[in-house]
Amino acid sequence: MNISRRNFIAAGIAGAASAGLSGVAKAATRFETAPVAGATTEGVKGKPKLCVSTYSLQSFRNDPEGIEKCILTAADFGIDAVDILHRSMPSEDNAYCQKLKQLAYQNGVALACLSIHQDFVDPHPEYRQRMVEHTIRCLELAYNMGIPAIRLNSGTWGTTGTFNDLMKARGIEPVIEGYTLDDGFGWVQDCIYKCIPTAEKCGVVMALENHWGIAGTPEGMIRIKKSVNSQWLKFLMDTGNFLEEPYSKLEQIVKDCAFISCKTYQGGGTWYSLDLDYDRIIKIFYDAGYRGYITLEFEGKADPIQSSIESLNLFKKCIDKYYKDYPVK
């Protein structure tokens, strides 16, 4: 008897239901009626996944096998994914990168993001071009490792001295003498344009973080994104990088986020501590329909493993509270 593919699927579902396997039929129906990707209205069904940054597990920071140990620690504690700090990689050799990819896969851990550093806010074209080449290399590295996103920095003016000085100044710095804020935005936008073809070819999103500098405000981030106007440029929200009135600022960028990094500070922060209300913050994520990764970036002085577990449990509790209508039963 000839039977079309569509009729075969329908017959299979009907047969499963008649056999008492109603859950199979319900699952099929759920796929058919799933909300469109990116929908941000009520009835959010997707549930964010938990991730941990290798930066959080500081006890492994100077260990040549630190990233491997972070992956295995994530697997041991049932954490869904790892965000790799590029600077912590002891090598970019293909053999090492494939070793990490295989280790993560075999332990059921996703490699969710490659957090890199660059600085496009510089008046020297040769320096900016080196930063572009570095970013392109990291896009290709992420692709080679099966990582779908990189962290992107705009860069800073560098007029306050060291990073410690910048933190003492609450992330606020003057423009380089002889230049304007528009110059800085123009440099950043031009550099990102140059990276777009590689991001598109590799299928790796550039997630622009509110990491100080001209992307340190929602207005700055939105200005850059609108100017570049590419699906390969999204946002990476760091909940700890808006030092004043954070909640309204988080609300302004959450709908364009590809990745979210949540900071905690048990034992006191390295540069500062914020008393962040994660019940309120995760409600912001829910209201915006965010369903991606929520990664922990622990920046305190207490035991990193124990503090990371405590923080992730807090995030999970809040996620379960607001995303309680998923999974559908």
Side-chain angles (χ1 to χ4, degrees):
M1 178 179 65
N2 293 326
I3 185 167
S4 70
R5 180 176 179 274
R6 179 176 297 177
N7 289 337
F8 177 80
I9 294 171
I13 293 174
S18 64
L21 300 178
S22 57
V24 175
K26 288 181 179 178
T29 303
R30 198 156 66 236
F31 288 137
E32 292 166 3
T33 60
V36 175
T40 58
T41 55
E42 62 179 336
V44 176
K45 300 299 182 187
K47 195 171 190 179
K49 298 282 192 290
L50 289 175
C51 178
V52 63
S53 168
T54 59
Y55 174 80
S56 298
L57 304 181
Q58 299 171 37
S59 56
F60 301 144
R61 187 168 294 176
N62 298 315
D63 189 331
E65 296 183 347
I67 296 178
E68 293 98 311
K69 291 178 179 177
C70 288
I71 291 170
L72 293 173
T73 299
D76 287 344
F77 290 105
I79 302 167
D80 299 298
V82 167
D83 167 23
I84 295 178
L85 181 65
H86 176 245
R87 286 180 174 175
S88 68
M89 291 177 63
S91 171
E92 291 184 4
D93 289 346
N94 185 59
Y96 174 72
C97 293
Q98 299 312 314
K99 176 184 175 182
L100 293 182
K101 182 165 70 174
Q102 184 183 59
L103 181 68
Y105 180 73
Q106 289 176 341
N107 285 277
V109 175
L111 300 181
C113 185
L114 181 66
S115 287
I116 74 171
H117 291 77
Q118 65 279 94
D119 188 348
F120 298 139
V121 185
D122 191 284
H124 302 95
E126 299 84 2
Y127 179 81
R128 297 198 303 272
Q129 182 58 31
R130 289 203 302 273
M131 293 294 99
V132 168
E133 291 169 0
H134 164 68
T135 304
I136 288 173
R137 189 181 80 249
C138 288
L139 284 164
E140 293 171 341
L141 181 65
Y143 170 75
N144 195 34
M145 297 174 70
I147 300 175
I150 65 167
R151 187 270 297 274
L152 196 70
N153 292 337
S154 66
T156 67
W157 291 102
T159 52
T160 55
T162 67
F163 185 73
N164 287 338
D165 295 329
L166 180 63
M167 292 299 91
K168 289 177 183 177
R170 308 289 284 178
I172 300 171
E173 57 178 354
V175 173
I176 297 174
E177 187 175 352
Y179 296 92
T180 68
L181 194 59
D182 287 343
D183 289 325
F185 278 107
W187 297 331
V188 172
Q189 291 155 9
D190 179 63
C191 289
I192 295 175
Y193 278 134
K194 292 177 179 179
C195 298
I196 290 293
T198 302
E200 183 175 10
K201 178 185 71 175
C202 293
V204 176
V205 170
M206 293 182 289
L208 179 67
E209 185 179 336
N210 52 323
H211 195 263
W212 320 114
I214 64 174
T217 65
E219 294 78 12
M221 297 175 75
I222 291 167
R223 176 174 173 175
I224 293 168
K225 187 175 184 302
K226 283 185 176 180
S227 175
V228 173
N229 190 28
S230 169
Q231 65 174 329
W232 299 104
L233 179 66
K234 302 291 185 182
F235 291 152
L236 192 163
M237 175 197 293
D238 187 319
T239 61
N241 286 359
F242 291 139
L243 300 185
E244 277 75 40
E245 300 179 359
Y247 306 107
S248 61
K249 295 175 182 177
L250 300 179
E251 288 172 345
Q252 291 179 60
I253 65 171
V254 64
K255 289 187 178 180
D256 288 311
C257 282
F259 196 67
I260 289 177
S261 178
C262 293
K263 279 202 170 86
T264 58
Y265 307 90
Q266 287 94 320
T270 304
W271 292 281
Y272 56 85
S273 298
L274 296 179
D275 184 17
L276 295 170
D277 181 350
Y278 275 106
D279 185 278
R280 181 175 179 180
I281 289 171
I282 289 176
K283 176 65 161 56
I284 291 171
F285 302 165
Y286 176 78
D287 288 343
Y290 181 77
R291 302 190 293 185
Y293 287 103
I294 295 176
T295 191
L296 168 67
E297 194 170 347
F298 173 63
E299 206 168 81
K301 298 175 183 175
D303 177 74
I305 301 294
Q306 184 59 38
S307 299
S308 294
I309 294 168
E310 292 172 0
S311 300
L312 289 162
N313 279 331
L314 169 63
F315 300 162
K316 183 179 185 303
K317 179 180 178 182
C318 296
I319 290 169
D320 289 345
K321 175 180 178 180
Y322 290 108
Y323 292 81
K324 57 184 178 294
D325 56 348
Y326 183 85
V328 179
K329 295 181 179 179

